[in-house]
Amino acid sequence: MYKLLKSVTCTSPVKIIIVVIPLAFSINSITLKNLMDMFSLYFVIFHLASLATACDRCVHQAKVAFFSDDQALKSGACGYGSVAVGLNDGRLAAAAPAVYNRGVGCGACFQMRCTNGSICSKDGTVVLLSDKNVDNGTDFVVSTKAFSSMAKKGKERDIFKLGVLPVLYKRVPCDYAKNKNLSVRVQEISQKPNYLAISFLYQGGQTEIVALDAAQVGSPNWNFMSRNYGAVWDTSRVPAGPLQLRFVVTSGFDGKWYWAKNVLPADWKIGAIYDSGLQINDTAKQDCSPCDYDTWK
């Protein structure tokens, strides 16, 4: 429907996406629905621009602590609730606000390893971002399973004695290709039939979802959804009947549309998880040279 003409990378870490109104629309023929579709597109553009921060695929230094009680993960700022403890085999992380990025970073995967060669393994572990860390003393707080996974075999006790670890980390693609499709969870705050809140689980690749629309299956009338908090999107204009979803993920240097043609049944249930039938394996590219080519030493 719309064409992304070109991307311009500025000297500051901001990406500007240049678009034009589709040629199929003349100024006199633009309807209210056209305007809403265009508004949704511009919403995407501004989100894409806001995501162009310091390159998260570069190797960064940080300090990491661990949760003394992993039950805290169930109340994480991403909104995954009790489902969180089962994500990524329990290797979860709360990240500093810059990485959490107002919830856009929720579901991202990061390879992390501590730097003490006598007790830390070479490969470290991969954590999934499920919460925001507001402790100014550390950059990440991770689950006990993630923390111990950074240790060499037999050195788990030693790593816990340190409490806070200096680490290296970088963003990596999440890989669910073998056993999980992108899934939609209906949040507990939903109030059928007038209010729907959902979150996405098992989002593969190295991407962010930056726009989301919902419509009744078979209908061309799409209603945009907004990010409420964390990974949670909502709308008070819930279409009747079974629902289809379309959404934009960051892919390459621009965005890519996905269409889940029949996701939520007409009798969708609060707390239920529904398979979208889609797998996302895209990678959002950033102008990060030369660190794009960095490898663990």
Side-chain angles (χ1 to χ4, degrees):
M1 180 185 295
Y2 304 101
K3 185 178 181 182
L4 298 176
L5 291 184
K6 70 188 271 192
S7 301
V8 179
T9 301
C10 305
T11 54
S12 60
V14 174
K15 178 189 272 188
I16 300 172
I17 311 295
I18 298 177
V19 299
V20 293
I21 296 174
L23 294 178
F25 292 158
S26 69
I27 296 300
N28 293 329
S29 66
I30 293 179
T31 66
L32 178 60
K33 182 180 182 302
N34 296 152
L35 289 173
M36 292 302 295
D37 285 342
M38 290 165 61
F39 173 82
S40 182
L41 177 65
Y42 293 134
F43 181 76
V44 174
I45 296 165
F46 290 131
H47 269 276
L48 286 169
S50 69
L51 293 174
T53 56
C55 294
D56 56 13
R57 74 186 60 200
C58 299
V59 178
H60 299 280
Q61 298 180 353
K63 292 182 179 179
V64 174
F66 64 91
F67 286 101
S68 57
D69 183 359
D70 282 352
Q71 291 299 309
L73 297 168
K74 295 182 179 180
S75 58
C78 287
Y80 296 131
S82 60
V83 176
V85 294
L87 300 176
N88 195 40
D89 198 28
R91 295 187 298 273
L92 305 175
V99 180
Y100 175 78
N101 193 15
R102 295 171 293 176
V104 176
C106 290
C109 293
F110 295 88
Q111 185 177 4
M112 182 179 293
R113 71 176 188 187
C114 49
T115 57
N116 186 330
S118 63
I119 61 174
C120 299
S121 66
K122 180 179 179 181
D123 294 327
T125 191
V126 174
V127 300
L128 182 141
L129 198 159
S130 64
D131 198 359
K132 179 170 69 172
N133 175 31
V134 294
D135 179 2
N136 292 330
T138 59
D139 303 286
F140 289 89
V141 182
V142 301
S143 62
T144 53
K145 187 167 188 178
F147 202 78
S148 63
S149 295
M150 290 188 283
K152 288 182 176 178
K153 187 175 181 180
K155 297 292 185 179
E156 291 83 2
R157 288 188 178 182
D158 295 325
I159 212 169
F160 279 115
K161 288 179 181 178
L162 294 176
V164 176
L165 295 173
V167 300
L168 300 175
Y169 77 92
K170 64 177 179 179
R171 186 164 179 191
V172 295
C174 299
D175 184 8
Y176 299 108
K178 294 180 180 179
N179 54 9
K180 294 290 185 182
N181 289 333
L182 180 74
S183 297
V184 176
R185 180 176 185 266
V186 180
Q187 298 293 115
E188 285 79 2
I189 58 175
S190 297
Q191 297 179 5
K192 193 172 183 178
N194 299 318
Y195 176 70
L196 174 64
I198 62 173
S199 60
F200 289 95
L201 307 175
Y202 316 121
Q203 182 181 337
Q206 191 169 323
T207 65
E208 288 88 23
I209 294 175
V210 294
L212 173 64
D213 295 330
Q216 185 183 72
V217 171
S219 171
N221 300 316
W222 294 91
N223 294 329
F224 69 88
M225 300 183 70
S226 303
R227 188 184 296 275
N228 183 313
Y229 71 95
V232 178
W233 296 75
D234 67 357
T235 181
S236 57
R237 301 191 304 160
V238 185
L243 301 183
Q244 57 180 328
L245 300 175
R246 68 180 183 184
F247 51 93
V248 178
V249 302
T250 51
S251 177
F253 286 105
D254 295 308
K256 179 178 179 181
W257 283 99
Y258 277 87
W259 181 17
K261 298 182 180 181
N262 196 338
V263 185
L264 300 186
D267 62 342
W268 50 265
K269 300 291 192 299
I270 293 174
I273 297 174
Y274 299 97
D275 191 332
S276 74
L278 301 174
Q279 287 196 348
I280 298 178
N281 299 303
D282 300 271
T283 296
K285 296 185 181 297
Q286 299 167 306
D287 294 315
C288 304
S289 181
C291 82
D292 274 348
Y293 308 103
D294 284 354
T295 57
W296 296 106
K297 302 297 183 183

